[in-house]
Amino acid sequence: MTSGMNGLVPALRAIAATTTAVVLATAFPAFAQEEPGMEVKDSYRFVIIPKVVHPWFDQVNNGAMQAAQVIEAQTGSKVEIVYSAPQQADVVQQNQIIESSIATRPDGIAVDLLDASGNRASLEEAVGQEIPVTIFDSVPPEGMELTSIGNDFCEQAKLASRRLVELMEESGQVAIMMGVPSAPNHAIRAQCHEEVFAEYPNIELVATGIDNDDIETAQKQAAAIMQANPDLKGWVASDAAGPIGIGQAIQEAGKTGDVILVGLDNLPEMLQLIRDGVAESSSSTRPEMQGYWSIMAMWQQAMGIDTPKYIDTGIDFITKEDLE
Amino acid sequence: MKRNPLALIAANPLMGVFIALVIIFAISIAASPHFLTGYNMSVIARALAFVGLITIGQAMLMILGELDLSLGVIGGLCGVVAGMAMTSGGLPPIVAIPACLLLGAMLGALNGLLVSILKLHSLVLTIGTAGVFGGVNLVLTKGVAITGMPPEIQFFGRGEVYGIPVPFIIMLVVLAIAVFITAKTPFGRFMYAIGNNVAAAEMLGIKVNRIRVLVFTMAGLLAALAGLLMVARLGTAQPSIGETWVLAPIAASVIGGVATTGGVGSPLGAIFGASIIAIIENIIVLFGVSPYWQGVVSGVIVVLAISFDSASRRLIRKES
């Protein structure tokens, strides 16, 4: 009996081992494929929708293309980036682009919101159609759980306005150039500039222009404000186009050196203004990094992986020394 | 006696633009698998609805031989005033909406009266009034959107009936009324008569100024309606509403066979033209056209559509 049992035990072990192996071989791969990030896709298509056709957003797109190349190189999956920009900074136009993009069933849409509340209905449509949405360079609509990529807009503005106050030795008239007033990032920067100026009793905020993120408008507004305020000593801006227009107006008025400009962002024209001594410095976002991480976030979301609520891409402070 | 089918087609001036629309539609279906889907059709219909309402008003003015470049701004201003009335003003939508439609009609009437009294060309005058209305919009809003719209108005902008967007249904109803007025009533015939020859119309006893003011009033009313529907769609009153409604309705009317010199065309043709523009705007995104090429691509398609319309009319006349 014992010898019989002795013969049975190895046989039972063999059956148990085989059964376990079969169960693991069949069950584990199925379990693994259901886990987020385990399914391999041959291709991805991501849509980038900026505020408007603008060189700053071309830099965002460059970063997005770089991320696509990295994913392709590392995984072999083909990644297509569709860059679709409104011709005007108009929330109606931007919503039409969002909605038309939803119709193409992309693997993700990244949007720089012109107006969080005005964009809300279109974003909800995308989410409702189970298309991953990522926000960059702006703040998501209240109550919508979307990953946003950008920097601390208030900190960026305060770096610029504190620098201006320091250069003006805490005394004199200043002006702010507002971008698109309904754009949350522009509004936050303008508000934070005001907060800094309010801390200094001898700093007087005499004017706020609105340029709608357009260089020509910024130039006209800045020229008019300097005409109306001949004692104006300093400028800060809330968008990328603003400081370029202000710089042009300072040059045309022959006030280079008399009026101090602390700019925003790192467009080639902005950097040239710093080299030419028209602008003293610039507090800059990192647009390439915003594009890069927008794609990375959408790629993760497309695989079903949760992404952080906020990714901070940081701020650069650019002076003439940095450009030499 | 059997009539030549080409002659039958030639008898209908809308046929050229309609065929151009069908061709663009067919090419879009063939070129993009995403085009002919229920969702995408509703996207196009909704986009068409807002600009379509302005197009109907502008087409009626163009038939009369006039233009109103302030219609988009009237739409934006009325949207903003309605937004303020319903939020900070505390007025219920049932009061605020009719009041703002009335405001739009009054601003349109003001344009008509100034054109009639000052004997100015409407193009020049409405450039000025557009500046004034746009300026008031900025003064009221300081360029910042008004939020907190009552949720009950959202149905008019976001709602659907049997899958058809509500703004599109409203636009179709307005179109039917406009087609009826222009084609079936003495008022419509007077509009064409004035557009063809003002002096002759006056000699015939047509009250030119009264009809002019009425058509401007209708156009202002439609602009306000478009602005209000857009506020309902967005859930906010954006000061930028209407900024893109200036040239597109004129282009749509011209594509649809409405002559800028007056007396020719119909609101239906103008809506065909607006449909062509709406489809172009949609397929540019579906095809992923670079934003730097979008103006070129849409411009070329519009030129081709107008050329096709013109060439087909000439060919049909020659054949028949």
Side-chain angles (χ1 to χ4, degrees), chain A residues 231-244:
Chain A
D231 295 329
L232 187 78
K233 286 288 173 213
W235 272 106
V236 285
S238 310
D239 63 314
I244 299 169

Side-chain angles (χ1 to χ4, degrees), chain B residues 12 75 84 89 102 119 136 163 185 196 219 239-240 246 300 308 314:
Chain B
N12 191 338
M84 295 179 93
L102 184 65
K119 305 282 180 205
V136 173
T185 65
N196 274 314
S240 65
V246 181
V300 166
F308 175 82
R314 273 205 306 275

Side-chain angles (χ1 to χ4, degrees), chain A residues 147-165:
Chain A
T147 293
S148 73
I149 293 150
N151 54 273
D152 186 331
F153 305 119
C154 188
E155 185 193 353
Q156 185 192 5
K158 285 186 170 179
L159 277 171
S161 36
R162 287 197 199 287
R163 175 79 162 195
L164 179 67
V165 169

Side-chain angles (χ1 to χ4, degrees), chain B residues 191-252:
Chain B
M191 281 169 59
Y192 283 98
I194 295 167
N196 274 314
N197 191 326
V198 182
E202 278 175 341
M203 284 172 68
L204 286 169
I206 296 171
K207 293 186 173 13
V208 172
N209 284 346
R210 183 186 294 177
I211 288 171
R212 185 184 286 132
V213 172
L214 275 170
V215 178
F216 269 99
T217 305
M218 281 192 278
L221 177 72
L222 294 183
L225 179 60
L228 287 165
L229 290 175
M230 185 53 82
V231 170
R233 167 71 183 148
L234 296 174
T236 65
Q238 296 278 336
S240 65
I241 289 175
E243 279 179 4
T244 54
W245 296 346
V246 181
L247 293 178
I250 298 170

Side-chain angles (χ1 to χ4, degrees), chain A residues 176-179 185-187 189-191 193 236-240 242-243 264:
Chain A
I176 299 171
M177 187 62 77
M178 179 82 150
N185 53 340
H186 298 180
R189 288 181 189 132
Q191 176 66 33
H193 284 314
V236 285
S238 310
D239 63 314
L264 208 81

Side-chain angles (χ1 to χ4, degrees), chain A residues 100-158:
Chain A
S100 295
S101 299
I102 294 169
T104 67
R105 307 293 311 166
D107 294 297
I109 299 177
V111 194
D112 184 351
L113 303 179
L114 270 162
D115 184 291
S117 45
N119 289 119
R120 189 186 191 103
S122 302
L123 297 178
E124 284 175 347
E125 278 191 33
V127 173
Q129 304 243 356
E130 295 180 346
I131 294 170
V133 176
T134 295
I135 306 300
F136 68 95
D137 187 43
S138 46
V139 182
E142 213 177 307
M144 284 189 86
E145 287 295 320
L146 302 173
T147 293
S148 73
I149 293 150
N151 54 273
D152 186 331
F153 305 119
C154 188
E155 185 193 353
Q156 185 192 5
K158 285 186 170 179

Side-chain angles (χ1 to χ4, degrees), chain B residues 125-144:
Chain B
L125 179 101
T126 55
I127 288 173
T129 52
V132 175
F133 302 154
V136 173
N137 187 338
L138 270 181
V139 168
L140 290 175
T141 61
K142 308 280 186 292
V144 179

